[in-house]
């Protein structure tokens, strides 16, 4: 599993290289999913900014 984007840590953990999950997935689908995930905090979480703002608030 050698890839120019694969880090030593990802290799050690047996992670697949980043990018297309398989040949049948279109480039448009990969791009769309990547853009959507940059805006979310997790697979079922809120917007990433909402989570960040939560931790920036002062207690009390």
């Amino acid at each position: 599993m050698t890839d120019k984007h694969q880090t030593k840590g990802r290799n050690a953990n047996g992670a697949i290289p980043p990018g297309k999950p398989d040949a049948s997935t279109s480039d448009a689908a990969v791009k769309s999913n990547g853009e959507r995930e940059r805006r979310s905090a997790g697979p079922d979480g809120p917007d990433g900014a909402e989570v960040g703002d939560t931790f920036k608030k002062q207690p009390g």
Side-chain angles (χ1 to χ4, degrees), residues 14-56:
I16 62 170
K20 291 180 75 167
D22 56 54
S24 66
T25 305
S26 71
D27 289 337
V30 171
K31 183 176 179 180
S32 171
N33 189 46
E35 289 171 354
R36 184 177 67 246
E37 289 305 316
R38 285 186 191 99
R39 293 188 303 264
S40 69
D44 55 0
D47 182 344
E50 184 179 332
V51 173
D53 290 345
T54 299
F55 291 102
K56 292 176 188 173

